[in-house]
């Protein structure tokens, strides 16, 4: 992971933190119980990860990379940072907004719908500017993931987001966004999720609309000045990026 990030950085400096937690459990004859215990342990460690991110200077861009149950730690932390509760426990001190956070899930060991409205980590997406989900439909652990308890859904890392998960905004294809007003899309997103999203999400909608209008692709932050001329927003200074990788041990 370090070599991959170093190559992608193309010489730009960044800090890399390897976040791990004790997730070892002597295997028993009940694999579903083992998986459930490790999953709960990962959720609880979201409090520690959220605290670590909270301690990072606000202007510092943060990248989160999680594998397997590491994605559950990240989802838990992002949910807590947006005011959510994990296992009926909330922590207002961990709430923070206006952070530049991007997230990568690899072989994610969480239910595919847990990031949706009304689900376990429904506020997680409110704390990240973008989420890249990498699937592995041949992962043996993810294939048996639904067996851990009755009524369990398929793993996000196995199936990805389903059509139902992606249709909350009412769009089935990118072409349907052509001609849509970015400001109304932003307002609609806030209404559907029941949360006031960071205005950086509006910058993202502006960049998508510009690209669909036939212009060359441009990063969302280049649209921040345009948005700020219309709304009072938050401008974070350039700072040293931070990468956090979450893996179980």
């Amino acid at each position: 992971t370090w070599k991959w990030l170093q190559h992608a950085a193309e010489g730009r400096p960044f800090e890399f933190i390897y976040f791990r937690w004790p997730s070892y459990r002597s295997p028993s004859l009940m694999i579903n119980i083992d998986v459930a215990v490790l999953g709960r342990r990962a959720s609880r460690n979201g409090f520690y990860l959220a605290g670590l991110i909270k301690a990072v200077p606000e202007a510092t861009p943060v990248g989160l990379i999680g594998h397997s149950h590491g994605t559950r730690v990240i989802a838990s932390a992002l949910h807590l940072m947006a005011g959510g509760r994990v296992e009926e426990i909330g922590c207002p001190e961990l709430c923070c907004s206006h952070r530049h956070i991007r997230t990568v899930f690899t072989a994610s060991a969480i239910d595919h719908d847990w990031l949706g409205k009304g689900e376990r980590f429904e506020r997680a997406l409110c704390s990240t500017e973008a989420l890249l989900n990498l699937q592995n439909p041949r992962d043996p652990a993810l294939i048996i993931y639904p067996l851990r308890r009755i009524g369990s859904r398929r793993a996000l890392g196995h199936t990805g987001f389903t059509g139902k998960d992606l249709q909350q905004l009412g769009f089935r294809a990118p072409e349907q966004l052509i001609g849509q007003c970015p400001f109304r899309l932003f307002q609609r997103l806030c209404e559907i999720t029941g949360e006031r999203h960071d205005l950086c999400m509006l910058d993202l909608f502006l960049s998508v609309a510009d690209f669909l209008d036939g212009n060359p692709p441009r990063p969302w932050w280049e649209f921040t000045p345009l948005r700020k001329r219309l709304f009072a927003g938050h401008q974070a200074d350039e700072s040293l990026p931070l990468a956090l990788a979450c893996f179980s041990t």
Side-chain angles (χ1 to χ4, degrees), residues 95-111:
C95 294
C96 56
S97 58
H98 304 300
R99 302 300 301 254
H100 291 278
I101 299 176
R102 293 190 172 188
T103 307
V104 177
F105 282 180
T106 61
S108 180
I110 66 174
D111 287 20

Side-chain angles (χ1 to χ4, degrees), residues 27-43:
S28 69
L29 297 178
M30 302 296 290
I31 298 178
N32 58 331
I33 295 179
D34 296 334
V35 173
V37 170
L38 296 179
R40 287 196 297 271
R41 192 177 295 173
S43 291

Side-chain angles (χ1 to χ4, degrees), residues 88-221:
E88 302 303 322
I89 300 175
C91 188
E93 295 79 8
L94 295 177
C95 294
C96 56
S97 58
H98 304 300
R99 302 300 301 254
H100 291 278
I101 299 176
R102 293 190 172 188
T103 307
V104 177
F105 282 180
T106 61
S108 180
I110 66 174
D111 287 20
H112 68 82
D113 58 352
W114 273 1
L115 302 181
K117 185 178 181 181
E119 298 296 336
R120 184 169 302 194
F121 302 125
E122 63 174 344
R123 299 191 180 189
L125 295 179
C126 300
S127 298
T128 184
E129 297 171 351
L131 169 65
L132 174 63
N133 181 55
L134 302 179
Q135 301 170 230
N136 184 0
R138 297 185 178 181
D139 188 313
L142 295 181
I143 292 175
I144 65 173
Y145 176 87
L147 301 179
R148 76 191 198 285
R149 62 178 172 80
I150 298 176
S152 175
R153 303 295 181 88
R154 292 168 295 172
L156 179 62
H158 180 256
T159 63
F161 294 103
T162 66
K164 183 178 179 180
D165 299 332
L166 295 173
Q167 290 170 17
Q168 288 195 47
L169 283 174
F171 299 100
R172 298 174 181 268
E175 293 77 13
Q176 291 181 273
L177 291 170
I178 298 176
Q180 296 290 329
C181 174
F183 303 101
R184 290 184 177 177
L185 288 175
F186 176 76
Q187 182 181 16
R188 186 175 182 182
L189 176 65
C190 294
E191 291 174 351
I192 291 176
T193 60
E195 298 288 338
R196 175 65 178 179
H197 289 262
D198 191 286
L199 288 175
C200 292
M201 184 61 70
L202 176 55
D203 301 340
L204 178 62
F205 281 133
L206 288 168
S207 68
V208 171
D210 185 71
F211 173 70
L212 291 176
D213 281 341
N215 297 312
R218 295 164 56 193
W220 64 265
W221 54 84

